[in-house]
Amino acid sequence: MSKVEPVVVIHGGAWAIPEKICDASRNGVKLAARKAYEIVKSGGSALDAVEAAVILLENEPVFDAGKGSCLNAAGEIEMDASIMDGTSLKAGAIAAVTNINNPISLARMVMEKTDHCLLVGEGANMFAKECNVPSVDPSTLITEDCLEEWKTFQKYKSAVDSLINSLTIGHDTVGAVVMDCNGRIAAATSTGGITGKRVGRVGDSPLIGTGTFAIDEIGGVSCTGHGESIIKICLAKHVICLMENGMNAQNAVEQSLQFMNSRVKGAGGAICISASGEAAFHFTTERMAWAIAKANVLSWGLDPNEHNTEMMS
Amino acid sequence: MSKVEPVVVIHGGAWAIPEKICDASRNGVKLAARKAYEIVKSGGSALDAVEAAVILLENEPVFDAGKGSCLNAAGEIEMDASIMDGTSLKAGAIAAVTNINNPISLARMVMEKTDHCLLVGEGANMFAKECNVPSVDPSTLITEDCLEEWKTFQKYKSAVDSLINSLTIGHDTVGAVVMDCNGRIAAATSTGGITGKRVGRVGDSPLIGTGTFAIDEIGGVSCTGHGESIIKICLAKHVICLMENGMNAQNAVEQSLQFMNSRVKGAGGAICISASGEAAFHFTTERMAWAIAKANVLSWGLDPNEHNTEMMS
């Protein structure tokens, strides 16, 4: 017996998404939203739904997470992910992991099988082995497009920052926030980071309260965009704090991203569900692929002011 | 010409500090407070003051940071640290670093010499090498007491959690928050984590908004205690949010730690300075070494309700 109308919000990263992958990005977030919505509609948990949605996004090479992750300065993949259960506030995260297909599932194992919240680098890989997570050849996670981007980065890395910033280098992150039929909220975020990042650089995605946060009494958030800016204002918790003080979800994400822009000059995006079931998203980058599933309607978009809907039944 | 009366608050970790190291802990935080106060009194920056204070605490083996860090499950040291400048919101942090004397200085280098906020593991060590930070033999950072504690952990690690928790295993973290003569606020935190932690486990200390936060308009915070609980509620930003809504620093740290205790059953401590220069601290553990320097008076304590003062001139 459903007590609450379930809600799903998905993002596929806030950045200057090039034309050629716009449709694939739209399709990816729509598929993930449908998958998560199916799970919660049939009584599944918010936690299962965000994990399943993010797995789909990680497996889709068009997104910078799992397969299709950006390459670091050494030309290697290092992936970060986090997941949080808004009921217990249990959280799990991994960072700088090199050789697994689905970082979000390893993050969930950290949450469920250890006393810790965050494992990084070699230690995270050791834990993956202990959990019998298949280790894959990192080269199978690298796509042609990411390699091209990395080569462009290599070519320009000695140039001034402004030049590097003017290239559409470094795409960004996937995430999901879900409220299930019991009013439980979960959030999950996964990323390959930014092209040319230093070895060992960790962005906002695996950091609880920064890239991901969920607390049933208030809401859930997943962030994307310039990781270092998101860290400096602790974006996810910032959104939660505004909502705790009575602001609605839409105003809270908009005001938080405006604050990030004015205080540290950072662009990004965020998705959010409030305890009352309000779904919200906003981005200050050129584009962000997003999708919302609620009341059997799927909404999605990518360009500013783009808003499509279709029935889901 | 001083516009603002400078303020310094130091902590040496919130935990069940055993009798035999109580006096050394008191002395350590007093020395660190004096050092930071001297720096800001003579016109130095809050950032220089928190770094200098934390270096002293890292070098003092009685504290779990730098020399004297706890050993992980593999019997190795992995250190975490973060520093934040409340004026620019620039932040730097390192985690799971094995072979340097002063993690807090490497964290500051991440802030000042890279585009990133957080470097972990091997990548952080590569960056240290690039910055010519001397690499030390990790065994020189290990103390007899930490080795004993690790052996006790090894002996009991197969026992139930409650037994492990009942031992005074795993001490915790040092931190500093300073407001300088220009009203600039900085915060810094450094730790060796908890005895027997998994390889690659990262606690709250290197996470901006979690273990450390500073923003001139509101205040600065450094946290200590059960790292996973601190992560789950994003403690430092939680304190900041309450203060942003008009709560004073003392009530904000007390209410935040009570929330952590009631919502996730975690104990800990926090120190704080508000934008108006109010210094505050609170702990829900048995003990926490703390010291405050303000208006030429040094205050310090360790047991609940212990409050000593002396003139500093």
PDB file of all heavy atoms in Angstrom, chain B residues 49-69:
ATOM      1  N   ALA B  49      48.576  31.429  10.985  1.00  0.00           N
ATOM      2  CA  ALA B  49      48.435  31.065  12.404  1.00  0.00           C
ATOM      3  C   ALA B  49      47.875  29.655  12.572  1.00  0.00           C
ATOM      4  O   ALA B  49      48.373  28.871  13.394  1.00  0.00           O
ATOM      5  CB  ALA B  49      47.533  32.080  13.106  1.00  0.00           C
ATOM      6  N   VAL B  50      46.847  29.296  11.801  1.00  0.00           N
ATOM      7  CA  VAL B  50      46.291  27.935  11.964  1.00  0.00           C
ATOM      8  C   VAL B  50      47.304  26.894  11.503  1.00  0.00           C
ATOM      9  O   VAL B  50      47.439  25.827  12.109  1.00  0.00           O
ATOM     10  CB  VAL B  50      44.923  27.713  11.248  1.00  0.00           C
ATOM     11  CG1 VAL B  50      43.821  28.514  11.916  1.00  0.00           C
ATOM     12  CG2 VAL B  50      44.983  27.968   9.748  1.00  0.00           C
ATOM     13  N   GLU B  51      48.048  27.221  10.436  1.00  0.00           N
ATOM     14  CA  GLU B  51      49.049  26.247   9.970  1.00  0.00           C
ATOM     15  C   GLU B  51      50.129  26.037  11.027  1.00  0.00           C
ATOM     16  O   GLU B  51      50.486  24.901  11.353  1.00  0.00           O
ATOM     17  CB  GLU B  51      49.684  26.702   8.645  1.00  0.00           C
ATOM     18  CG  GLU B  51      50.648  25.643   8.095  1.00  0.00           C
ATOM     19  CD  GLU B  51      51.459  26.108   6.883  1.00  0.00           C
ATOM     20  OE1 GLU B  51      51.312  27.278   6.475  1.00  0.00           O
ATOM     21  OE2 GLU B  51      52.250  25.293   6.372  1.00  0.00           O
ATOM     22  N   ALA B  52      50.637  27.152  11.583  1.00  0.00           N
ATOM     23  CA  ALA B  52      51.710  27.048  12.582  1.00  0.00           C
ATOM     24  C   ALA B  52      51.237  26.283  13.821  1.00  0.00           C
ATOM     25  O   ALA B  52      51.973  25.459  14.378  1.00  0.00           O
ATOM     26  CB  ALA B  52      52.188  28.441  12.972  1.00  0.00           C
ATOM     27  N   ALA B  53      49.998  26.539  14.239  1.00  0.00           N
ATOM     28  CA  ALA B  53      49.460  25.848  15.423  1.00  0.00           C
ATOM     29  C   ALA B  53      49.346  24.351  15.158  1.00  0.00           C
ATOM     30  O   ALA B  53      49.731  23.523  15.992  1.00  0.00           O
ATOM     31  CB  ALA B  53      48.087  26.425  15.783  1.00  0.00           C
ATOM     32  N   VAL B  54      48.836  24.002  13.994  1.00  0.00           N
ATOM     33  CA  VAL B  54      48.636  22.575  13.696  1.00  0.00           C
ATOM     34  C   VAL B  54      49.975  21.865  13.495  1.00  0.00           C
ATOM     35  O   VAL B  54      50.129  20.698  13.892  1.00  0.00           O
ATOM     36  CB  VAL B  54      47.677  22.395  12.498  1.00  0.00           C
ATOM     37  CG1 VAL B  54      47.659  20.945  12.032  1.00  0.00           C
ATOM     38  CG2 VAL B  54      46.261  22.826  12.897  1.00  0.00           C
ATOM     39  N   ILE B  55      50.973  22.554  12.946  1.00  0.00           N
ATOM     40  CA  ILE B  55      52.311  21.944  12.836  1.00  0.00           C
ATOM     41  C   ILE B  55      52.835  21.564  14.225  1.00  0.00           C
ATOM     42  O   ILE B  55      53.335  20.459  14.437  1.00  0.00           O
ATOM     43  CB  ILE B  55      53.301  22.908  12.130  1.00  0.00           C
ATOM     44  CG1 ILE B  55      52.991  22.957  10.633  1.00  0.00           C
ATOM     45  CG2 ILE B  55      54.753  22.484  12.366  1.00  0.00           C
ATOM     46  CD1 ILE B  55      53.802  23.992   9.860  1.00  0.00           C
ATOM     47  N   LEU B  56      52.663  22.467  15.196  1.00  0.00           N
ATOM     48  CA  LEU B  56      53.098  22.158  16.570  1.00  0.00           C
ATOM     49  C   LEU B  56      52.391  20.914  17.098  1.00  0.00           C
ATOM     50  O   LEU B  56      53.009  20.053  17.725  1.00  0.00           O
ATOM     51  CB  LEU B  56      52.784  23.336  17.508  1.00  0.00           C
ATOM     52  CG  LEU B  56      53.770  24.494  17.579  1.00  0.00           C
ATOM     53  CD1 LEU B  56      53.324  25.481  18.650  1.00  0.00           C
ATOM     54  CD2 LEU B  56      55.175  23.992  17.877  1.00  0.00           C
ATOM     55  N   LEU B  57      51.092  20.837  16.849  1.00  0.00           N
ATOM     56  CA  LEU B  57      50.304  19.704  17.354  1.00  0.00           C
ATOM     57  C   LEU B  57      50.677  18.410  16.624  1.00  0.00           C
ATOM     58  O   LEU B  57      50.728  17.334  17.227  1.00  0.00           O
ATOM     59  CB  LEU B  57      48.812  20.004  17.202  1.00  0.00           C
ATOM     60  CG  LEU B  57      48.298  21.201  18.026  1.00  0.00           C
ATOM     61  CD1 LEU B  57      46.939  21.677  17.501  1.00  0.00           C
ATOM     62  CD2 LEU B  57      48.213  20.865  19.506  1.00  0.00           C
ATOM     63  N   GLU B  58      50.938  18.515  15.311  1.00  0.00           N
ATOM     64  CA  GLU B  58      51.373  17.329  14.550  1.00  0.00           C
ATOM     65  C   GLU B  58      52.720  16.819  15.059  1.00  0.00           C
ATOM     66  O   GLU B  58      52.958  15.607  15.114  1.00  0.00           O
ATOM     67  CB  GLU B  58      51.501  17.681  13.056  1.00  0.00           C
ATOM     68  CG  GLU B  58      50.161  17.806  12.331  1.00  0.00           C
ATOM     69  CD  GLU B  58      50.294  18.269  10.881  1.00  0.00           C
ATOM     70  OE1 GLU B  58      51.357  18.816  10.506  1.00  0.00           O
ATOM     71  OE2 GLU B  58      49.326  18.093  10.114  1.00  0.00           O
ATOM     72  N   ASN B  59      53.596  17.742  15.449  1.00  0.00           N
ATOM     73  CA  ASN B  59      54.939  17.347  15.897  1.00  0.00           C
ATOM     74  C   ASN B  59      54.937  16.777  17.321  1.00  0.00           C
ATOM     75  O   ASN B  59      55.916  16.154  17.731  1.00  0.00           O
ATOM     76  CB  ASN B  59      55.895  18.541  15.833  1.00  0.00           C
ATOM     77  CG  ASN B  59      56.181  18.959  14.399  1.00  0.00           C
ATOM     78  OD1 ASN B  59      55.866  18.221  13.461  1.00  0.00           O
ATOM     79  ND2 ASN B  59      56.770  20.126  14.219  1.00  0.00           N
ATOM     80  N   GLU B  60      53.883  17.022  18.074  1.00  0.00           N
ATOM     81  CA  GLU B  60      53.766  16.546  19.464  1.00  0.00           C
ATOM     82  C   GLU B  60      53.157  15.136  19.431  1.00  0.00           C
ATOM     83  O   GLU B  60      51.988  14.967  19.069  1.00  0.00           O
ATOM     84  CB  GLU B  60      52.876  17.535  20.235  1.00  0.00           C
ATOM     85  CG  GLU B  60      52.363  17.042  21.573  1.00  0.00           C
ATOM     86  CD  GLU B  60      53.477  16.607  22.505  1.00  0.00           C
ATOM     87  OE1 GLU B  60      54.211  17.477  22.993  1.00  0.00           O
ATOM     88  OE2 GLU B  60      53.590  15.379  22.741  1.00  0.00           O
ATOM     89  N   PRO B  61      53.936  14.104  19.810  1.00  0.00           N
ATOM     90  CA  PRO B  61      53.476  12.714  19.618  1.00  0.00           C
ATOM     91  C   PRO B  61      52.248  12.343  20.446  1.00  0.00           C
ATOM     92  O   PRO B  61      51.613  11.325  20.161  1.00  0.00           O
ATOM     93  CB  PRO B  61      54.673  11.861  20.037  1.00  0.00           C
ATOM     94  CG  PRO B  61      55.762  12.774  20.414  1.00  0.00           C
ATOM     95  CD  PRO B  61      55.311  14.196  20.323  1.00  0.00           C
ATOM     96  N   VAL B  62      51.891  13.143  21.422  1.00  0.00           N
ATOM     97  CA  VAL B  62      50.744  12.795  22.255  1.00  0.00           C
ATOM     98  C   VAL B  62      49.431  12.899  21.460  1.00  0.00           C
ATOM     99  O   VAL B  62      48.435  12.258  21.802  1.00  0.00           O
ATOM    100  CB  VAL B  62      50.715  13.697  23.525  1.00  0.00           C
ATOM    101  CG1 VAL B  62      50.151  15.071  23.219  1.00  0.00           C
ATOM    102  CG2 VAL B  62      49.935  13.030  24.638  1.00  0.00           C
ATOM    103  N   PHE B  63      49.456  13.678  20.378  1.00  0.00           N
ATOM    104  CA  PHE B  63      48.244  13.841  19.566  1.00  0.00           C
ATOM    105  C   PHE B  63      48.263  12.926  18.343  1.00  0.00           C
ATOM    106  O   PHE B  63      49.321  12.662  17.767  1.00  0.00           O
ATOM    107  CB  PHE B  63      48.105  15.295  19.101  1.00  0.00           C
ATOM    108  CG  PHE B  63      47.984  16.277  20.218  1.00  0.00           C
ATOM    109  CD1 PHE B  63      48.972  17.217  20.459  1.00  0.00           C
ATOM    110  CD2 PHE B  63      46.865  16.257  21.043  1.00  0.00           C
ATOM    111  CE1 PHE B  63      48.867  18.133  21.499  1.00  0.00           C
ATOM    112  CE2 PHE B  63      46.743  17.167  22.089  1.00  0.00           C
ATOM    113  CZ  PHE B  63      47.751  18.099  22.318  1.00  0.00           C
ATOM    114  N   ASP B  64      47.061  12.521  17.925  1.00  0.00           N
ATOM    115  CA  ASP B  64      46.884  11.632  16.778  1.00  0.00           C
ATOM    116  C   ASP B  64      46.892  12.446  15.477  1.00  0.00           C
ATOM    117  O   ASP B  64      45.859  12.674  14.856  1.00  0.00           O
ATOM    118  CB  ASP B  64      45.563  10.880  16.953  1.00  0.00           C
ATOM    119  CG  ASP B  64      45.195  10.043  15.743  1.00  0.00           C
ATOM    120  OD1 ASP B  64      46.097   9.689  14.966  1.00  0.00           O
ATOM    121  OD2 ASP B  64      43.989   9.754  15.590  1.00  0.00           O
ATOM    122  N   ALA B  65      48.084  12.881  15.092  1.00  0.00           N
ATOM    123  CA  ALA B  65      48.259  13.657  13.853  1.00  0.00           C
ATOM    124  C   ALA B  65      49.752  13.770  13.640  1.00  0.00           C
ATOM    125  O   ALA B  65      50.498  13.954  14.609  1.00  0.00           O
ATOM    126  CB  ALA B  65      47.634  15.049  13.968  1.00  0.00           C
ATOM    127  N   GLY B  66      50.211  13.664  12.404  1.00  0.00           N
ATOM    128  CA  GLY B  66      51.653  13.680  12.161  1.00  0.00           C
ATOM    129  C   GLY B  66      52.296  12.578  12.982  1.00  0.00           C
ATOM    130  O   GLY B  66      51.813  11.438  13.008  1.00  0.00           O
ATOM    131  N   LYS B  67      53.396  12.900  13.683  1.00  0.00           N
ATOM    132  CA  LYS B  67      54.052  11.917  14.563  1.00  0.00           C
ATOM    133  C   LYS B  67      53.089  11.545  15.685  1.00  0.00           C
ATOM    134  O   LYS B  67      52.565  12.424  16.368  1.00  0.00           O
ATOM    135  CB  LYS B  67      55.337  12.515  15.137  1.00  0.00           C
ATOM    136  CG  LYS B  67      56.187  11.530  15.905  1.00  0.00           C
ATOM    137  CD  LYS B  67      57.485  12.178  16.365  1.00  0.00           C
ATOM    138  CE  LYS B  67      58.307  11.260  17.264  1.00  0.00           C
ATOM    139  NZ  LYS B  67      58.854  10.093  16.574  1.00  0.00           N
ATOM    140  N   GLY B  68      52.846  10.254  15.861  1.00  0.00           N
ATOM    141  CA  GLY B  68      51.872   9.820  16.863  1.00  0.00           C
ATOM    142  C   GLY B  68      50.535   9.444  16.242  1.00  0.00           C
ATOM    143  O   GLY B  68      49.565   9.188  16.959  1.00  0.00           O
ATOM    144  N   SER B  69      50.493   9.394  14.920  1.00  0.00           N
ATOM    145  CA  SER B  69      49.252   8.997  14.244  1.00  0.00           C
ATOM    146  C   SER B  69      48.926   7.532  14.540  1.00  0.00           C
ATOM    147  O   SER B  69      49.822   6.704  14.689  1.00  0.00           O
ATOM    148  CB  SER B  69      49.407   9.154  12.716  1.00  0.00           C
ATOM    149  OG  SER B  69      49.310  10.521  12.356  1.00  0.00           O
TER     150      SER B  69
END
